[in-house]
Amino acid sequence: MTKSLADITKINYRYQRSARIDNDNSIENIKSFIVHETAKSTLKRILEDNGNQNTFTITGPYGGGKSSLALFLSALFDSNKKVKDFAKSQLSEFLDLKKASIINTSNTMVIKIVGQKNNPIEDLKKALQLATKNFNWKKGAPKILKPNTDKSLIESINNIFESLKSQGGSLVLIMDEMGKYLEYCSDETQDLQLFQELAENFTRSQCSSLLVGILHQSFGDYSRKLDDQIRNNWMKVQGRYFDIPYSVAIDEVIYLLAEAISGRKTSTVEKKLCREVGTELKDARLGSSKNLSNQLTSILPLHPLCSILLGPFTRKRFGQNERSLFGFLTSNEPHSFNYFLKNENQTSSKLYSPDLFYDYLKINLEPSILSSPDGHFWSEAVEAIARVERQGSEHHIQIIKTISLIDFLGKPFDIRASENLLQRSFPNLNITPILKDLAAWSSIVYRKHKKAWSLFSGSDLDLNLEIEKNIDE
């Protein structure tokens, strides 16, 4: 049986599934967490200022690593000394441990919840009962009240605060998928009295405490279909929490890819490709460019330009079908990276290039993209590519798809389809005549002020080009 690239290119198992804070707290899982700059700044903000602010939300796109961060945060208070000590050892280079008083408490009760689209009171009560049962109380355990009401739940939490204070303990409550509870409250047209009281009682708790909720969007986004009065009340509740945006930079995504992918041996030509693509994008907003070419080389056969565009992809939200970075890597859907690996011979030198990524998006995500704010641009791109497919070669198609993808994902990060970038990305092609053909077919247009090619809008008159002409005159 012929071996494929999948036999020599491996995806680290830890990155093939999402983290669960309620049952993934093994030392192996904690060791696999990558403390990149975004994670460092978030942990620093939560832990160093705990005395002044102890209620937080962390908000960011699906698949951005928020659950892994929450898992690492919970490990700092784990009952397993090995897990706790390892997690704390990762903080010393960027965090003043003396200021992070809550992690120096020897007696911490941790409540970890993964939200569901149901009544949050029931889940919180069960979590309180379980945590109280498993905690080592010096005196009797605090009373957890039976009624499933806001009032009883808050009173139960205050009972826990009081008992912990008497033995010098602290309370940490981490709610992953907190947004699921907000969705439930929105569907039921409920106010957020419970979440308001949670924040207020943690703020004035009798012992050291920390409350962290994980969201995919703001409170206001969850309350879109509610009337103005309820929406305004929701926004007031959000004000009780200090919100921390969590969205990894492009260089951090590349670093994550390098940690996740164990690639095949690379050739001198491929190393040169990665180095030149990295050089062409040195002025783009990628974050730190330190060791960029080395990291791009380590994740072949993922094309370096495709690797960079995966960063902006992780920030896109296409309706309700958001896909994570590692979902893309491990999916068996047509034209996914995993599909490519399984269908390429082990000796193949072919790379998973941006045009293949375009095909992946079109086949698997197009309905969601069309219903998103990016839908209009995507429709124009599909139309332009269809015209090229009727009259151009496979190389014309490859380049128009790449330019479309750069336009689609790269603009906010100043990633531009310059002729140099395209030539560096496809060194075996003669790019200049291909670009001339595409321009002649009104598929792309050259933007002088950007020194790059863009998808032609499809109108008979290119307003940007006419403006540039007038400027020149």
Side-chain angles (χ1 to χ4, degrees):
M1 183 178 177
T2 304
K3 289 191 174 183
S4 68
L5 279 175
D7 294 309
I8 57 173
T9 305
K10 303 297 181 183
I11 309 296
N12 187 322
Y13 172 73
R14 177 63 189 88
Y15 301 106
Q16 294 187 30
R17 58 191 176 85
S18 58
R20 281 192 65 98
I21 63 169
D22 51 353
N23 58 18
D24 280 349
N25 62 329
S26 67
I27 187 67
E28 291 77 21
N29 286 333
I30 302 306
K31 282 184 175 180
S32 70
F33 178 68
I34 300 166
V35 190
H36 46 64
E37 291 304 316
T38 300
K40 288 177 182 178
S41 63
T42 302
L43 290 167
K44 188 177 176 71
R45 180 66 185 85
I46 290 172
L47 296 171
E48 280 195 356
D49 199 33
N50 180 251
N52 298 316
Q53 174 73 41
N54 67 341
T55 57
F56 298 89
T57 51
I58 300 172
T59 306
Y62 288 80
K66 300 183 304 300
S67 294
S68 295
L69 176 74
L71 181 62
F72 181 84
L73 180 63
S74 70
L76 294 167
F77 311 98
D78 204 275
S79 57
N80 184 321
K81 188 175 185 301
K82 188 177 180 182
V83 170
K84 180 178 180 179
D85 287 349
F86 176 81
K88 285 181 69 173
S89 72
Q90 303 303 296
L91 302 178
S92 56
E93 67 173 84
F94 66 91
L95 185 71
D96 186 345
L97 294 177
K98 292 180 181 179
K99 290 183 179 179
S101 57
I102 191 164
I103 63 174
N104 296 317
T105 306
S106 59
N107 214 351
T108 303
M109 178 176 170
V110 183
I111 303 171
K112 297 182 283 188
I113 302 174
V114 178
Q116 307 173 73
K117 202 172 179 180
N118 58 19
N119 191 338
I121 296 176
E122 296 174 10
D123 287 356
L124 280 164
K125 179 184 171 183
K126 289 177 183 177
L128 288 181
Q129 290 172 331
L130 180 62
T132 302
K133 180 182 177 182
N134 294 332
F135 191 71
N136 184 23
W137 299 101
K138 292 181 180 179
K139 298 180 180 179
K143 185 178 181 180
I144 306 300
L145 304 184
K146 289 184 178 180
N148 287 331
T149 63
D150 291 3
K151 183 178 179 181
S152 294
L153 184 69
I154 296 301
E155 190 173 336
S156 297
I157 289 175
N158 283 322
N159 290 341
I160 292 173
F161 283 142
E162 188 174 344
S163 295
L164 287 170
K165 181 186 177 184
S166 68
Q167 60 184 67
S170 58
L171 178 63
V172 173
L173 171 57
I174 302 175
M175 283 188 282
D176 197 7
E177 299 287 355
M178 178 177 164
K180 294 284 180 66
Y181 294 132
L182 300 187
E183 288 177 10
Y184 172 84
C185 293
S186 177
D187 289 346
E188 299 296 317
T189 321
Q190 293 183 2
D191 60 27
L192 298 183
Q193 183 68 26
L194 171 63
F195 293 97
Q196 177 174 330
E197 292 195 25
L198 274 174
E200 290 174 351
N201 281 272
F202 265 79
T203 299
R204 56 174 183 259
S205 62
Q206 300 179 51
C207 66
S208 182
S209 63
L210 175 64
L211 169 59
V212 179
I214 308 297
L215 301 171
H216 297 306
Q217 53 189 357
S218 70
F219 279 52
D221 289 326
Y222 287 106
S223 63
R224 282 178 190 153
K225 57 187 179 183
L226 301 176
D227 63 47
D228 290 344
Q229 183 177 354
I230 298 178
R231 278 172 58 87
N232 290 336
N233 288 334
W234 275 48
M235 296 311 295
K236 290 177 183 176
V237 175
Q238 181 166 28
R240 301 287 196 278
Y241 297 81
F242 185 90
D243 186 58
I244 304 174
Y246 193 83
S247 187
V248 294
I250 293 179
D251 64 310
E252 293 170 347
V253 171
I254 294 169
Y255 180 61
L256 291 170
L257 287 168
E259 290 291 315
I261 299 174
S262 299
R264 55 169 171 74
K265 291 183 179 179
T266 55
S267 67
T268 302
V269 172
E270 289 172 333
K271 289 178 181 178
K272 181 183 178 184
L273 168 68
C274 293
R275 185 171 61 253
E276 291 187 341
V277 169
T279 300
E280 285 299 324
L281 291 171
K282 67 181 186 300
D283 294 326
R285 293 193 289 274
L286 306 183
S288 172
S289 58
K290 184 180 179 182
N291 297 323
L292 179 61
S293 62
N294 289 337
Q295 289 174 357
L296 291 173
T297 301
S298 71
I299 52 185
L300 294 170
L302 197 56
H303 190 287
L305 180 55
C306 192
S307 301
I308 289 168
L309 290 174
L310 278 168
F313 166 68
T314 63
R315 298 188 177 209
K316 289 284 185 180
R317 295 184 58 243
F318 304 130
Q320 296 302 307
N321 293 313
E322 294 86 350
R323 305 296 178 91
S324 73
L325 173 65
F326 299 110
F328 157 73
L329 290 179
T330 59
S331 166
N332 287 313
E333 294 166 316
H335 297 294
S336 68
F337 184 61
N338 195 34
Y339 178 91
F340 168 81
L341 294 177
K342 289 180 177 179
N343 287 278
E344 282 296 318
N345 190 285
Q346 184 174 308
T347 59
S348 173
S349 60
K350 185 176 180 181
L351 302 180
Y352 187 91
S353 49
D355 54 298
L356 295 179
F357 186 35
Y358 169 88
D359 292 338
Y360 167 79
L361 294 176
K362 188 174 192 316
I363 291 174
N364 300 294
L365 292 178
E366 184 167 70
S368 300
I369 296 173
L370 289 173
S371 62
S372 76
D374 298 300
H376 179 69
F377 173 85
W378 187 262
S379 296
E380 289 188 335
V382 169
E383 191 176 315
I385 291 166
R387 291 197 302 270
V388 173
E389 286 174 334
R390 290 193 292 269
Q391 58 189 323
S393 68
E394 63 177 295
H395 294 150
H396 289 97
I397 297 168
Q398 187 175 37
I399 297 306
I400 184 67
K401 286 180 177 179
T402 300
I403 292 172
S404 297
L405 203 60
I406 292 172
D407 261 5
F408 183 53
L409 297 173
K411 280 184 178 179
F413 303 93
D414 213 18
I415 301 171
R416 303 173 182 179
S418 68
E419 184 167 343
N420 280 344
L421 175 61
L422 294 169
Q423 187 63 73
R424 303 295 190 199
S425 299
F426 300 96
N428 295 328
L429 301 183
N430 186 359
I431 291 293
T432 301
I434 294 175
L435 294 175
K436 285 183 178 179
D437 288 342
L438 293 173
W441 300 335
S442 296
S443 298
I444 60 173
V445 62
Y446 186 72
R447 309 294 186 193
K448 277 186 179 180
H449 65 291
K450 292 184 177 181
K451 299 179 181 178
W453 293 89
S454 293
L455 194 70
F456 188 51
S457 64
S459 64
D460 292 329
L461 178 64
D462 183 355
L463 293 177
N464 287 317
L465 188 59
E466 293 302 315
I467 291 170
E468 287 169 358
K469 285 180 181 178
N470 286 332
I471 291 173
D472 291 340
E473 291 172 2

